[in-house]
Amino acid sequence: MEAIAPAPTPEGVGFVRTQRMHWTTPLSLTSGATLGPLTIAYETYGELAPDRSNAILILHALSGDAHAAGYHSPTDRKPGWWDGMIGPGRAFDTNRYFVICSNVIGGCRGSTGPSSPHPVDGKPYGSRFPIITIEDMVHAQQRLIDALGIDTLLAVAGGSMGGFQALAWAVEYPQRVRGAILLATSARSSPQTVAWNYIGRRAIMADPRWRGGDYYDGEPPRDGLAVARMLGHITYLCEPKLEQRFGRRSDSGPLDLGPHFAIEHYLEHQAARFNERFDANSYLTITRAMDSWDLAARYGSLTAAFDLARARFLALAYSSDWLYPPSETYHMAAAAQAAGRSFTTHLIMTDAGHDAFLTDIAAQSVIIREFLDRLGSE
């Protein structure tokens, strides 16, 4: 019998597993409702220092999850969504830091969300799932950090919606966050962002298979979620990148009403893959939470919000990001500095659009590594 060679050990953090933590005590939500029992899915990378001073919480964007780095098995096609940033010698160096990433509540990748069983009848929440906010996501994460025995986080870090959460952590728990790393993000969802999100939600709710959110005993609203994903995905890119990658390339056959141009086939591919791993109700829930994000409205002004924080801030903006443009970063910087907070900004020149925080690893790694070095030496 021929021996089977073992699968090669991947670089970075290697093979990891998603863990889950459960609470029976309900979580009080901003709306006045409660959510419980509560489950949080999370992964950790590296080792927690004996004095528990080296913990970093990574916060994911809309379509992300707890699997930020490494592989779950040798058959995985790709590693976690931020693998290039997390691991030995990388920006979030797991030889030095204990890195945590959890799936947000409202999600569909292990944490309590619309597809989770309702405590009354065990059927999926569906339309019964409550409205949540970014702050609710952070309050749930706080339970996880408590359970891990961590009093103070060396840093919180995230891009896009992850940046919303990082800001909320710094303001809601000022004594527990030493540094906040904000990438391609904003202190509020602009009217343009709200509009894009609403169109995506409208596409899902217009799909007859959505059934008011109670579709788990039948076919999910795949067409609606596909349209939502296509629309959202375009906002993550930019015109120069689309021109470079796709241009006007098309099929050689006759033109009809189906996908013909390369960009159309790309969008169909992205939509199909998204439907394989994401729940439509989670898309509705999370984008509504994003729309409600407005730090100034919550605290009276953006300066007043930053006045509550004690963390040092690092904010990275990306030149071609039109979803959360550099002007949003500079607006945050002005408010933070008016409140007397340390707020360092960097503009990264790129043609990758909003997705640059996921792809421009080399440029941002140097900046983040230096920021964490300074935090660790203070």
Side-chain angles (χ1 to χ4, degrees):
M1 182 175 177
E2 185 178 353
I4 300 175
T9 301
E11 296 181 356
V13 300
F15 295 113
V16 299
R17 67 183 180 91
T18 302
Q19 304 176 70
R20 287 171 174 79
M21 202 168 288
H22 309 275
W23 296 265
T24 56
T25 304
L27 177 72
S28 296
L29 302 176
T30 304
S31 66
T34 59
L35 181 64
L38 185 70
T39 298
I40 298 292
Y42 69 100
E43 292 185 6
T44 65
Y45 320 100
E47 299 293 333
L48 186 60
D51 63 359
R52 301 178 182 273
S53 64
N54 68 332
I56 297 175
L57 179 61
I58 302 295
L59 304 152
H60 70 75
L62 166 60
S63 61
D65 53 30
H67 185 42
Y71 295 82
H72 286 152
S73 77
T75 60
D76 283 359
R77 290 183 302 174
K78 57 195 306 187
W81 58 268
W82 225 15
D83 185 75
M85 295 289 292
I86 301 168
R90 298 177 182 175
F92 298 101
D93 188 346
T94 50
N95 288 331
R96 303 175 60 188
Y97 308 119
F98 179 64
V99 181
I100 310 153
C101 184
S102 68
N103 185 215
V104 297
I105 58 169
C108 54
R109 306 292 289 177
S111 294
T112 302
S115 59
S116 301
H118 192 283
V120 172
D121 56 18
K123 296 179 180 179
Y125 272 92
S127 62
R128 297 174 291 178
F129 195 78
I131 294 293
I132 62 170
T133 65
I134 297 298
E135 288 81 6
D136 293 331
M137 296 174 180
V138 167
H139 296 160
Q141 293 158 359
Q142 182 256 338
R143 285 193 178 188
L144 172 63
I145 298 305
D146 283 351
L148 293 173
I150 298 167
D151 292 327
T152 304
L153 291 163
L154 176 65
V156 292
S160 194
M161 187 188 80
F164 295 178
Q165 297 166 68
L167 271 169
W169 259 101
V171 175
E172 297 271 316
Y173 300 106
Q175 304 303 325
R176 304 191 66 172
V177 178
R178 293 178 58 193
I181 302 172
L182 318 174
L183 302 90
T185 196
S186 169
R188 64 163 194 161
S189 280
S190 70
Q192 174 180 255
T193 303
V194 172
W196 291 125
N197 285 342
Y198 179 71
I199 296 170
R201 288 197 301 275
R202 190 71 176 82
I204 292 171
M205 293 186 290
D207 189 320
R209 289 175 293 188
W210 181 59
R211 295 164 54 194
D214 297 312
Y215 53 80
Y216 294 104
D217 60 350
E219 284 291 317
R222 297 181 183 278
D223 291 341
L225 184 58
V227 173
R229 179 57 171 174
M230 290 181 192
L231 181 70
H233 200 73
I234 287 297
T235 70
Y236 307 151
L237 304 175
C238 65
E239 175 61 25
K241 176 62 73 173
L242 292 173
E243 185 67 41
Q244 175 189 343
R245 290 183 63 178
F246 306 106
R248 295 279 300 175
R249 295 194 306 277
S250 64
D251 297 338
S252 58
L255 186 65
D256 59 21
L257 296 179
H260 179 78
F261 291 97
I263 182 61
E264 295 173 329
H265 287 289
Y266 172 75
L267 291 175
E268 290 287 352
H269 172 71
Q270 290 295 327
R273 289 186 59 189
F274 197 61
N275 260 306
E276 292 173 358
R277 67 179 181 86
F278 216 80
D279 178 51
N281 279 335
S282 283
Y283 192 94
L284 298 174
T285 298
I286 295 173
T287 56
R288 178 49 89 192
M290 293 173 68
D291 292 348
S292 71
W293 171 244
D294 188 339
L295 203 58
R298 183 173 175 86
Y299 292 99
S301 73
L302 197 50
T303 298
F306 277 109
D307 188 56
L308 296 173
R310 295 295 177 268
R312 292 184 176 275
F313 292 89
L314 170 67
L316 305 187
Y318 302 83
S319 60
S320 56
D321 182 359
W322 59 274
L323 190 60
Y324 298 113
S327 59
E328 296 283 356
T329 299
Y330 302 145
H331 181 60
M332 288 190 291
Q337 289 161 5
R341 300 291 161 251
S342 172
F343 196 104
T344 303
T345 63
H346 289 268
L347 177 64
I348 294 179
M349 303 305 295
T350 176
D351 64 357
H354 181 63
D355 268 355
F357 79 94
L358 296 171
T359 61
D360 284 25
I361 301 301
Q364 63 196 24
S365 289
V366 173
I367 300 167
I368 290 172
R369 190 179 293 113
E370 291 176 352
F371 178 76
L372 291 174
D373 284 344
R374 290 195 299 271
L375 278 181
S377 64
E378 291 175 351

